[in-house]
Amino acid sequence: MKLWGGRFTKETNQLVHNFNASLSFDQKFYKQDIDGSIAHVTMLAATGIISENDKNIIIEGLKGIKNDIETGALEISEEHEDIHSFVEAHLIDRVGEPGKRLHTGRSRNDQVALDMKLYTRDEVENVNELLKNLLEVILRIMKENTKTFMPGFTHLQKAQPITVAHHFGAYFEMFKRDRGRLNDIYNRMNYCPLGSGALAGTTYPLDRDLTAKLLGFDGPTLNSMDSVADRDYLIEFLSAMSTIMMHLSRFSEEIIIWNSNEYSFIELDDAYSTGSSIMPQKKNPDIAELVRGKTGRVYGALMSLLTTMKGIPLAYNKDMQEDKELCFDAIDTTKGCISLFTGMIDTMSFNKSVMENSAKNGFTNATDAADYLVGKGVPFRDAHGIVGQLVLYCIDKNMALDDMTLDEFKAISPVFEEDIYEAISLRTCVEKRTTIGAPGAEAMEKVIAINEEYLRS
Ligand code: ARG
């Protein structure tokens, strides 16, 4: 059934129908469409626009349709243009005359604006919940590894020693900010467009506060043109998901590096890695690589929607139908990536001795040697130069700073004493870093407690 046959004298060309139709993808929000219609008719009856009796018949019919879609008794067939027409046509089939009153005071423009918002609002919460699970796993790993040493890098070169807790803690902060962004989006988007009509409201005495309340919104939107033309919340959500994917992708990249034969910092669980069809020795980090790879898809969706929206005059234009497929894909991709990534890091193990040895090599304690000299009164710039000479000497002899004898130290600077060994030991280098945000266990414990509290609230 078409919702707009009256002024037409010809059937729609089949290719036009196919090109125009959105049912193949907008059936994803059949539930939201029906929930929105139930709220709409509840309000229509409360304001006396339709009778209580019609309302009850319509709601029964809509619930029946929902139930039948869920059980598979009702198949969503392609001859309808979109989910809105599909539901309305089936309602009229089932309940007759009262069904024809459902669309009173409503347009598909405010209907689709509502459906997409309801669908997205749920998904914002779902993504938020998945991030919470990920944070729980990250925090567990942090708690267990405040003394698991590893090198920290800048320019992918060993820089200073840190711990696994500290490294994972960096990602904790990123995903925590991501959740903050989702909360902001939720609050900003949570206003109901229903009752905006095609673009200019309606002449019926609709109670928009009531429908907003029935559907869990903070209130109705305040401009009917904006209501049907606004896709900002989708752009914001795609942007937030792009940032989430960027974080997951950076983390994945590190996991891929750590999992390489050269690093061997971690061991991925067999259930979360894959083999090679030809090289029997291989155990590949495909999940991490796929997460890294899929990031492009989500960025692409953001660019695509921004580009679609940029030239659209007010109010509704059919271009906006393009928001759906790419948003659905980005949402499903992001959710899948967060879940898989969470499982992968939850099951992986750390080769602690390899990590610790790696942290000991590469002069990661050079800054601490300089700070030692500063502690003995040497100006930092001079200390930097002296330690530079030590490093050169060690490179030549193929040894670490810790391997030098006191005489060798003194030959470069007489300021060195026996306590240099303690000062530049790996443990000291990390443990002395006790300011909040630093890797020392004392500081980490405080951060872990704060983040534990954050996850409880
Ligand atoms: N399928 C359409 C969309 O996704 C629904 C709104 C149709 N409105 C209209 N005036 N043709 O945007």
Side-chain angles (χ1 to χ4, degrees), residues 4 20-23 25-26 29 81-84 107-109 111-113 231 316-324:
W4 38 267
N20 196 39
S22 52
L23 185 64
F25 47 89
D26 66 16
F29 50 53
E81 180 184 331
D82 53 30
I83 191 65
H84 325 296
S107 157
R108 271 188 301 166
N109 297 351
Q111 190 177 359
V112 75
R231 299 294 182 270
Y316 178 83
N317 292 264
K318 193 67 175 235
D319 319 40
M320 288 181 330
Q321 178 166 290
E322 285 296 309
D323 63 356
K324 309 210 169 42

Short mmCIF file of all heavy atoms in Angstrom, two decimals, residues 4 20-23 25-26 29 81-84 107-109 111-113 231 316-324, ligand 1:
data_model
loop_
_atom_site.label_atom_id
_atom_site.label_comp_id
_atom_site.label_asym_id
_atom_site.label_seq_id
_atom_site.Cartn_x
_atom_site.Cartn_y
_atom_site.Cartn_z
N TRP A 4 0.40 7.63 -0.41
CA TRP A 4 0.20 8.90 -1.12
C TRP A 4 -0.38 8.71 -2.52
O TRP A 4 -0.13 9.51 -3.41
CB TRP A 4 1.51 9.67 -1.21
CG TRP A 4 2.73 8.79 -1.43
CD1 TRP A 4 3.53 8.27 -0.47
CD2 TRP A 4 3.25 8.32 -2.68
NE1 TRP A 4 4.52 7.52 -1.02
CE2 TRP A 4 4.40 7.52 -2.38
CE3 TRP A 4 2.89 8.48 -4.01
CZ2 TRP A 4 5.15 6.90 -3.35
CZ3 TRP A 4 3.66 7.86 -5.00
CH2 TRP A 4 4.78 7.08 -4.67
N ASN A 20 13.94 4.53 -4.25
CA ASN A 20 13.35 5.39 -3.24
C ASN A 20 13.14 4.68 -1.90
O ASN A 20 13.20 5.29 -0.84
CB ASN A 20 11.98 5.85 -3.79
CG ASN A 20 11.42 7.03 -3.06
OD1 ASN A 20 12.16 7.93 -2.68
ND2 ASN A 20 10.12 7.02 -2.83
N ALA A 21 12.92 3.37 -1.99
CA ALA A 21 12.49 2.63 -0.81
C ALA A 21 13.59 2.52 0.24
O ALA A 21 14.78 2.46 -0.09
CB ALA A 21 12.06 1.23 -1.22
N SER A 22 13.18 2.50 1.49
CA SER A 22 14.14 2.37 2.59
C SER A 22 13.82 1.19 3.49
O SER A 22 14.50 0.96 4.49
CB SER A 22 14.17 3.67 3.41
OG SER A 22 12.86 4.02 3.80
N LEU A 23 12.77 0.43 3.12
CA LEU A 23 12.33 -0.63 4.01
C LEU A 23 13.41 -1.66 4.31
O LEU A 23 13.49 -2.19 5.43
CB LEU A 23 11.10 -1.34 3.41
CG LEU A 23 10.45 -2.40 4.30
CD1 LEU A 23 9.89 -1.77 5.56
CD2 LEU A 23 9.34 -3.13 3.55
N PHE A 25 16.35 -1.35 5.00
CA PHE A 25 17.19 -1.01 6.17
C PHE A 25 16.42 -0.36 7.31
O PHE A 25 16.74 -0.58 8.47
CB PHE A 25 18.40 -0.16 5.76
CG PHE A 25 18.10 1.01 4.84
CD1 PHE A 25 17.76 2.24 5.37
CD2 PHE A 25 18.17 0.86 3.46
CE1 PHE A 25 17.50 3.32 4.53
CE2 PHE A 25 17.90 1.95 2.61
CZ PHE A 25 17.57 3.18 3.15
N ASP A 26 15.33 0.41 7.01
CA ASP A 26 14.69 1.08 8.16
C ASP A 26 13.78 0.13 8.96
O ASP A 26 13.29 0.50 10.03
CB ASP A 26 14.02 2.41 7.78
CG ASP A 26 12.82 2.29 6.85
OD1 ASP A 26 12.30 1.17 6.70
OD2 ASP A 26 12.41 3.33 6.28
N PHE A 29 14.25 -0.32 12.75
CA PHE A 29 13.61 0.34 13.89
C PHE A 29 12.07 0.18 13.91
O PHE A 29 11.35 1.09 14.28
CB PHE A 29 14.04 1.80 14.05
CG PHE A 29 14.00 2.71 12.87
CD1 PHE A 29 12.85 2.85 12.11
CD2 PHE A 29 15.10 3.49 12.57
CE1 PHE A 29 12.80 3.74 11.06
CE2 PHE A 29 15.07 4.39 11.52
CZ PHE A 29 13.92 4.51 10.76
N GLU A 81 7.20 0.95 0.90
CA GLU A 81 8.30 1.90 0.71
C GLU A 81 9.23 1.94 1.93
O GLU A 81 10.45 1.95 1.81
CB GLU A 81 7.73 3.29 0.42
CG GLU A 81 8.77 4.35 0.20
CD GLU A 81 8.16 5.74 0.00
OE1 GLU A 81 7.01 5.82 -0.49
OE2 GLU A 81 8.81 6.73 0.34
N ASP A 82 8.61 1.99 3.09
CA ASP A 82 9.42 2.10 4.30
C ASP A 82 8.68 1.47 5.47
O ASP A 82 7.53 1.01 5.32
CB ASP A 82 9.77 3.58 4.58
CG ASP A 82 8.53 4.47 4.62
OD1 ASP A 82 7.45 3.98 4.99
OD2 ASP A 82 8.64 5.66 4.26
N ILE A 83 9.31 1.44 6.62
CA ILE A 83 8.72 0.76 7.79
C ILE A 83 7.45 1.48 8.25
O ILE A 83 6.52 0.86 8.76
CB ILE A 83 9.76 0.63 8.94
CG1 ILE A 83 9.24 -0.31 10.05
CG2 ILE A 83 10.15 1.98 9.53
CD1 ILE A 83 9.06 -1.74 9.65
N HIS A 84 7.40 2.80 8.01
CA HIS A 84 6.22 3.56 8.44
C HIS A 84 4.98 3.11 7.64
O HIS A 84 3.93 2.86 8.21
CB HIS A 84 6.44 5.07 8.26
CG HIS A 84 7.85 5.50 8.53
ND1 HIS A 84 8.42 5.38 9.78
CD2 HIS A 84 8.82 6.02 7.72
CE1 HIS A 84 9.68 5.81 9.71
NE2 HIS A 84 9.94 6.20 8.48
N SER A 107 3.39 13.53 10.37
CA SER A 107 3.96 13.38 9.03
C SER A 107 5.04 12.31 9.14
O SER A 107 5.57 12.05 10.23
CB SER A 107 4.59 14.71 8.61
OG SER A 107 5.56 14.50 7.63
N ARG A 108 5.40 11.72 7.98
CA ARG A 108 6.52 10.79 8.06
C ARG A 108 7.81 11.53 8.42
O ARG A 108 8.76 10.92 8.89
CB ARG A 108 6.69 10.05 6.74
CG ARG A 108 5.87 8.77 6.68
CD ARG A 108 6.22 7.98 5.47
NE ARG A 108 5.98 8.76 4.25
CZ ARG A 108 6.43 8.44 3.06
NH1 ARG A 108 7.17 7.36 2.90
NH2 ARG A 108 6.15 9.16 2.00
N ASN A 109 7.81 12.83 8.21
CA ASN A 109 9.03 13.58 8.51
C ASN A 109 9.31 13.65 10.02
O ASN A 109 10.44 13.43 10.46
CB ASN A 109 8.95 15.00 7.94
CG ASN A 109 8.85 14.99 6.43
OD1 ASN A 109 9.02 13.93 5.81
ND2 ASN A 109 8.58 16.13 5.82
N GLN A 111 7.88 11.59 12.05
CA GLN A 111 7.89 10.18 12.46
C GLN A 111 9.30 9.58 12.31
O GLN A 111 9.81 8.94 13.23
CB GLN A 111 6.90 9.40 11.59
CG GLN A 111 6.64 7.99 12.07
CD GLN A 111 5.59 7.29 11.21
OE1 GLN A 111 5.04 7.87 10.27
NE2 GLN A 111 5.30 6.06 11.54
N VAL A 112 9.91 9.84 11.16
CA VAL A 112 11.25 9.26 10.96
C VAL A 112 12.27 9.94 11.85
O VAL A 112 13.20 9.31 12.37
CB VAL A 112 11.68 9.28 9.47
CG1 VAL A 112 12.08 10.66 9.00
CG2 VAL A 112 12.80 8.29 9.21
N ALA A 113 12.06 11.24 12.08
CA ALA A 113 12.97 11.96 12.99
C ALA A 113 12.89 11.32 14.38
O ALA A 113 13.91 11.11 15.04
CB ALA A 113 12.61 13.43 13.05
N ARG A 231 19.95 16.43 12.03
CA ARG A 231 20.67 15.16 12.18
C ARG A 231 21.99 15.39 12.93
O ARG A 231 22.89 14.57 12.86
CB ARG A 231 20.94 14.51 10.81
CG ARG A 231 19.69 14.17 9.98
CD ARG A 231 18.83 13.07 10.63
NE ARG A 231 17.66 12.73 9.82
CZ ARG A 231 16.46 13.32 9.92
NH1 ARG A 231 16.27 14.29 10.80
NH2 ARG A 231 15.45 12.93 9.16
N TYR A 316 12.80 19.12 5.71
CA TYR A 316 13.14 17.75 5.33
C TYR A 316 13.44 17.65 3.83
O TYR A 316 12.76 18.27 3.00
CB TYR A 316 11.98 16.80 5.67
CG TYR A 316 12.29 15.37 5.22
CD1 TYR A 316 13.04 14.53 6.02
CD2 TYR A 316 11.87 14.90 3.97
CE1 TYR A 316 13.37 13.25 5.60
CE2 TYR A 316 12.19 13.62 3.55
CZ TYR A 316 12.95 12.80 4.37
OH TYR A 316 13.28 11.54 3.96
N ASN A 317 14.45 16.89 3.49
CA ASN A 317 14.74 16.52 2.09
C ASN A 317 15.12 15.05 2.10
O ASN A 317 15.69 14.54 3.08
CB ASN A 317 15.92 17.32 1.54
CG ASN A 317 15.60 18.80 1.39
OD1 ASN A 317 15.23 19.27 0.34
ND2 ASN A 317 15.73 19.54 2.49
N LYS A 318 14.85 14.39 1.00
CA LYS A 318 15.04 12.94 0.96
C LYS A 318 16.50 12.52 1.13
O LYS A 318 16.80 11.40 1.53
CB LYS A 318 14.46 12.37 -0.34
CG LYS A 318 14.30 10.86 -0.38
CD LYS A 318 13.24 10.36 0.58
CE LYS A 318 13.03 8.87 0.43
NZ LYS A 318 11.65 8.50 0.17
N ASP A 319 17.41 13.45 0.84
CA ASP A 319 18.84 13.14 1.06
C ASP A 319 19.06 12.52 2.44
O ASP A 319 19.94 11.69 2.63
CB ASP A 319 19.71 14.41 1.03
CG ASP A 319 19.36 15.41 -0.04
OD1 ASP A 319 18.16 15.64 -0.30
OD2 ASP A 319 20.31 15.99 -0.60
N MET A 320 18.26 13.00 3.39
CA MET A 320 18.50 12.61 4.79
C MET A 320 18.23 11.14 5.06
O MET A 320 18.65 10.61 6.08
CB MET A 320 17.70 13.50 5.72
CG MET A 320 18.36 14.87 5.73
SD MET A 320 17.70 16.17 6.75
CE MET A 320 16.06 15.90 6.87
N GLN A 321 17.54 10.49 4.12
CA GLN A 321 17.36 9.03 4.24
C GLN A 321 18.71 8.31 4.25
O GLN A 321 18.83 7.21 4.76
CB GLN A 321 16.50 8.54 3.07
CG GLN A 321 16.27 7.05 3.05
CD GLN A 321 15.14 6.68 2.08
OE1 GLN A 321 13.99 6.98 2.34
NE2 GLN A 321 15.49 6.05 0.98
N GLU A 322 19.71 8.98 3.66
CA GLU A 322 21.06 8.39 3.60
C GLU A 322 21.71 8.27 4.98
O GLU A 322 22.76 7.66 5.11
CB GLU A 322 21.95 9.24 2.69
CG GLU A 322 21.65 9.06 1.21
CD GLU A 322 21.92 7.65 0.71
OE1 GLU A 322 23.01 7.12 0.96
OE2 GLU A 322 21.00 7.06 0.11
N ASP A 323 21.12 8.89 5.99
CA ASP A 323 21.72 8.79 7.33
C ASP A 323 21.69 7.36 7.87
O ASP A 323 22.54 6.97 8.66
CB ASP A 323 21.02 9.75 8.32
CG ASP A 323 19.54 9.43 8.55
OD1 ASP A 323 19.00 8.51 7.90
OD2 ASP A 323 18.90 10.13 9.38
N LYS A 324 20.71 6.57 7.39
CA LYS A 324 20.43 5.31 8.09
C LYS A 324 21.49 4.23 7.89
O LYS A 324 22.08 3.75 8.86
CB LYS A 324 19.06 4.77 7.70
CG LYS A 324 18.04 5.84 7.87
CD LYS A 324 16.69 5.49 8.20
CE LYS A 324 15.98 6.78 8.55
NZ LYS A 324 16.27 7.96 7.67
N1 ARG B 1 12.40 6.90 4.50
C1 ARG B 1 12.35 8.28 4.79
C2 ARG B 1 13.65 8.70 5.47
O1 ARG B 1 14.34 7.85 5.87
C3 ARG B 1 11.18 8.58 5.67
C4 ARG B 1 10.64 9.97 5.56
C5 ARG B 1 9.90 10.13 4.33
N2 ARG B 1 9.37 11.44 4.21
C6 ARG B 1 9.04 11.96 3.01
N3 ARG B 1 8.61 13.15 2.99
N4 ARG B 1 9.21 11.26 1.92
O2 ARG B 1 13.97 9.85 5.56
#
